[in-house]
Amino acid sequence: MLQQMSLAGRFTLPGSSLSVNRLGYGAMQLAGREGNKLVWGPPRDVDGAIALLQEAVASGVNHVDTADFYGPHVTNQIIRKALSPYRDGLVIVTKVSARRGEDGSWIPAFSREELTNAVHDNLRNLGLDVLDVVNLRSMLNVHQPAEGSIEAPLTALAELQQKGLIRHIGLSNVTRTQIAEARRIVPIVCVQNHYNLAHRADDTLIADLARDGIAYIPFFPLGGFTPLQSDTLSEVASRLNATPMQVALAWLLHRSPNVLVIPGTSSLTHLRENLKAAALHLSAEVLDDLNAMPKQNAGVPTARSEK
Ligand SMILES: NC(=O)c1ccc[n+]([C@@H]2O[C@H](COP(=O)([O-])OP(=O)(O)OC[C@H]3O[C@@H](n4cnc5c(N)ncnc54)[C@H](OP(=O)(O)O)[C@@H]3O)[C@@H](O)[C@H]2O)c1
């Protein structure tokens, strides 16, 4: 029997009864890879992926992030196989607005029909009647937030919410202007943008969302396909008898109480290592050292190999 960890305390999504541990799990890494097609097809070890999810939840993870375009469909089907019937209190957060091309590309799928299909794909593949949280992921620029109205797709998603298919709505890959626009249309419970020790464009946005009780959920918390690597991170980690990835996660958890982390891994060893980051205390001195690390646009940390 695995011991359930407290996993960095809890956070309740605003206006909801959904309360999650601040350290969760991102399921994107569970899909496979086929040549240059990332997050594509089944993993080499499906049973291993199932065992990993089951251990995550048995250890206290109650926030799993996913999308039906991971695989596509594969990751959600593995989640269903591993975790359904879902235990009470498990919150599955998914995202819509992209589909996959045969070449593995990520294609915007923002129309009312595409969003409706995406919500039904998620329901079917996860084996759910209603989705806890659906993030509308802006695809105006695939790689980074780009200005432009999201009113039309968000209105379509809000209608699916009114039909009872979605409990709560979040946003991903968005600008401050788009968040403000969205909040005039529908309550927003979380924002999921690219953010980590080296990529800190959202520093002030995190504080602003915290004031309104909205969760900020960094994607690529460990650097994504090119995991973080820096001398400072390694030096701090060895000082604390921890690993660089544990320090990177602990730093995020120390950033602000509204930050929830969803590190992704396909490795049970890495999962166990990452969960222990919840208990890692960073002193003010250590935080100063980490905060002084150069940001990505200053050219450091360096990237490790592509996955
Ligand atoms: N909204 C969006 O647009 C968006 C975009 C990307 C991701 N996401 C979500 O965010 C989640 C997290 O992002 P991510 O999985 O892409 O990136 P991530 O969590 O920053 O990093 C994952 C990478 O780090 C490696 N890793 C994990 N733990 C490690 C450890 N302890 N030691 C060494 N390496 C380790 C993984 O390899 P191993 O598998 O070998 O451990 C994988 O290559 C995703 O799973 C997904 O749910 C959302």
Side-chain angles (χ1 to χ4, degrees):
M1 187 74 177
L2 281 162
Q3 205 189 343
Q4 291 238 333
M5 299 182 232
S6 93
L7 299 182
R10 292 180 85 87
F11 183 90
T12 301
L13 296 174
S16 87
S17 58
L18 303 182
S19 173
V20 294
N21 287 322
R22 292 182 61 221
L23 203 161
Y25 174 75
M28 186 173 87
Q29 305 293 338
L30 291 185
R33 173 183 186 158
E34 196 183 295
N36 289 332
K37 298 186 205 174
L38 298 175
V39 196
W40 187 268
R44 255 174 287 165
D45 180 6
V46 174
D47 290 341
I50 289 172
L52 185 148
L53 278 167
Q54 290 173 339
E55 178 160 332
V57 170
S59 303
V61 166
N62 58 7
H63 170 196
V64 174
D65 186 80
T66 186
D68 205 63
F69 45 75
Y70 296 160
H73 315 303
V74 171
T75 301
N76 278 350
Q77 289 165 356
I78 290 175
I79 290 173
R80 179 181 186 168
K81 209 164 179 186
L83 303 179
S84 160
Y86 300 105
R87 67 162 67 178
D88 284 351
L90 176 67
V91 175
I92 298 180
V93 178
T94 189
K95 61 191 81 70
V96 292
S97 81
R99 63 184 172 82
R100 305 297 297 277
E102 275 310 306
D103 59 353
S105 53
W106 309 76
I107 301 169
F110 251 157
S111 72
R112 178 180 296 270
E113 188 187 353
E114 286 168 316
L115 293 171
T116 304
N117 289 342
V119 165
H120 283 287
D121 285 348
N122 274 285
L123 288 167
R124 186 177 59 258
N125 287 314
L126 288 168
L128 290 167
D129 297 326
V130 52
L131 299 169
D132 287 327
V133 181
V134 176
N135 287 328
L136 180 73
R137 204 244 190 232
S138 172
M139 296 288 285
L140 294 168
N141 178 322
V142 177
H143 302 292
Q144 60 192 35
E147 293 298 354
S149 176
I150 55 170
E151 181 180 353
L154 190 63
T155 303
L157 210 57
E159 285 168 15
L160 294 168
Q161 182 183 36
Q162 279 151 23
K163 285 186 182 157
L165 301 179
I166 299 171
R167 288 203 175 89
H168 301 282
I169 291 179
L171 301 172
S172 178
N173 197 38
V174 284
T175 67
R176 182 183 286 277
T177 311
Q178 287 162 338
I179 296 170
E181 180 190 40
R183 293 182 69 192
R184 288 192 290 272
I185 299 169
V186 71
I188 296 298
V189 296
C190 57
V191 171
Q192 189 176 111
N193 276 1
H194 183 181
Y195 184 84
N196 57 43
L197 254 173
H199 191 105
R200 297 179 51 180
D202 279 351
D203 269 341
T204 55
L205 177 63
I206 291 173
D208 292 345
L209 293 175
R211 272 192 291 279
D212 290 341
I214 296 175
Y216 183 89
I217 305 174
F219 74 74
F220 292 161
L222 301 174
F225 295 107
T226 54
L228 298 169
Q229 212 178 41
S230 91
D231 291 344
T232 307
L233 196 52
S234 300
E235 188 277 315
V236 166
S238 70
R239 228 193 297 164
L240 298 178
N241 202 17
T243 69
M245 294 304 160
Q246 287 173 329
V247 173
L249 290 173
W251 177 82
L252 285 168
L253 291 168
H254 280 67
R255 269 292 289 112
S256 177
N258 65 326
V259 170
L260 314 181
V261 297
I262 48 164
T265 181
S266 54
S267 145
L268 203 50
T269 308
H270 288 166
L271 172 78
R272 290 172 183 159
E273 179 184 323
N274 295 346
L275 294 183
K276 287 189 188 142
L280 187 62
H281 175 72
L282 305 182
S283 67
E285 186 191 354
V286 162
L287 288 171
D288 284 347
D289 289 346
L290 294 171
N291 288 334
M293 266 175 60
K295 318 293 182 294
Q296 195 175 55
N297 53 11
V300 184
T302 57
R304 227 163 51 186
S305 62
E306 280 279 323
K307 196 173 150 112

